[in-house]
Amino acid sequence: MQWVPETARPKILLIQFRGVGDVVLVTPLLDALRQLWPEAEIHWLTEPRMPELFLGDPRVHAFWLRRRGPALAPLARALRAERFDLVVDSQSLPVPAKLSWATGARSVGFKKRGRTPFYTWAVALSDHAGTGYTADHKLDLLRALGHRPLLSEPRLCPHDAPHAVWENLPDHRRAVVVPSTAVAHKRWPAERFVAVMEAVQSRAPTAFVVAGGPGEQDQVRAVADGCGFPVSPITANSLGEFVRIL
């Protein structure tokens, strides 16, 4: 069975919550939707701040935000009024599963306890039609609809105005190092980052920017000060600014 929209310009809702890494890893699914239906009107339901990563991105028509605290009913009613042709829930958490069902549209998500009944099609988490790579596993949602999506690299669309931090760096290949994380046990020591940067620099001249967010200056500075060659440390005050650095 292959799901085929009834119109050449289907309206599709993509759902992906959580953090920056989760959102970036779903961009191959976003590209696959565009490959399958180039004229589709793609909406994205996510959490506040995440749309900053996609300012000016032509792949997304509109963003919907699930804010913590308020009841789901107003958001559910607004989504249902959009009359989506398809909902693709790439995370299948309890709240997205309920919102998928509330839209009244055909929907696809992953089989998880207590959530499977909310979807028209449910894909087993153990069913890897592609590879075990997270970004590729999300494409199994489209494979369940009878399509053969192509895996692309996770990507953000480049900003028209690159960040000024690059202006004073040599015209070499560029690399951005982000040594910070809010989870202490996942935090690599500064010397490990320095060792990797030095190994990269030894193979080919590279212009490095070491970036972090507000409150992460100490981690950024520890890496920058440990390098035996010039690097540019910077604090990005918003996700939008971070994209410009990339």
Side-chain angles (χ1 to χ4, degrees):
M1 186 281 299
Q2 184 181 74
W3 180 78
V4 178
E6 297 179 358
T7 172
R9 194 169 188 264
K11 183 181 283 190
I12 299 172
L13 177 65
L14 174 63
I15 303 179
Q16 176 68 50
F17 289 179
R18 297 270 174 100
V20 173
D22 299 295
V23 168
V24 171
L25 280 174
V26 85
T27 56
L29 177 57
L30 177 61
D31 282 329
L33 288 169
R34 274 273 166 251
Q35 291 163 6
L36 290 169
W37 301 292
E39 301 301 319
E41 182 180 309
I42 299 177
H43 295 227
W44 191 330
L45 173 60
T46 186
E47 293 179 310
R49 295 185 62 222
M50 294 304 111
E52 293 180 35
L53 294 169
F54 298 90
L55 293 175
D57 193 322
R59 296 174 293 178
V60 184
H61 177 81
F63 281 97
W64 296 80
L65 300 182
R66 159 65 171 131
R67 301 182 186 278
R68 297 185 182 277
L72 289 178
L75 176 58
R77 286 195 295 268
L79 291 172
R80 192 177 186 88
E82 290 290 329
R83 302 179 65 84
F84 291 105
D85 296 289
L86 178 68
V87 177
V88 181
D89 182 358
S90 67
Q91 213 162 14
S92 303
L93 296 172
V95 168
K98 292 175 184 177
L99 289 172
S100 296
W101 174 81
T103 64
R106 289 174 175 264
S107 60
V108 59
F110 289 109
K111 286 183 180 179
K112 292 185 178 179
R113 193 156 129 194
R115 299 160 218 175
T116 300
F118 291 110
Y119 303 115
T120 311
W121 302 276
V123 179
L125 287 168
S126 58
D127 183 11
H128 295 284
T131 66
Y133 176 41
T134 299
D136 194 16
H137 189 29
K138 292 181 185 296
L139 296 185
D140 285 334
L141 297 171
L142 299 184
R143 296 182 181 113
L145 303 184
H147 297 282
R148 301 178 66 182
L150 299 176
L151 176 63
S152 59
E153 293 185 356
R155 69 184 180 96
L156 298 173
C157 286
H159 201 281
D160 290 337
H163 200 282
V165 70
W166 296 107
E167 294 177 358
N168 298 321
L169 290 174
D171 188 20
H172 300 321
R173 64 176 183 172
R174 296 176 174 181
V176 179
V177 177
V178 184
S180 54
T181 174
V183 184
H185 73 270
K186 292 185 177 181
R187 192 174 301 150
W188 235 25
E191 57 267 23
R192 297 280 185 87
F193 283 101
V194 172
V196 171
M197 294 165 68
E198 289 177 342
V200 171
Q201 188 71 273
S202 69
R203 287 168 173 76
T206 304
F208 282 101
V209 166
V210 184
E216 298 172 343
Q217 292 90 336
D218 290 345
Q219 297 169 58
V220 169
R221 178 56 63 184
V223 173
D225 290 347
C227 292
F229 48 86
V231 302
S232 287
I234 187 170
T235 298
N237 293 306
S238 68
L239 290 179
E241 183 179 8
F242 189 78
V243 173
R244 289 182 60 205
I245 295 171
L246 297 177

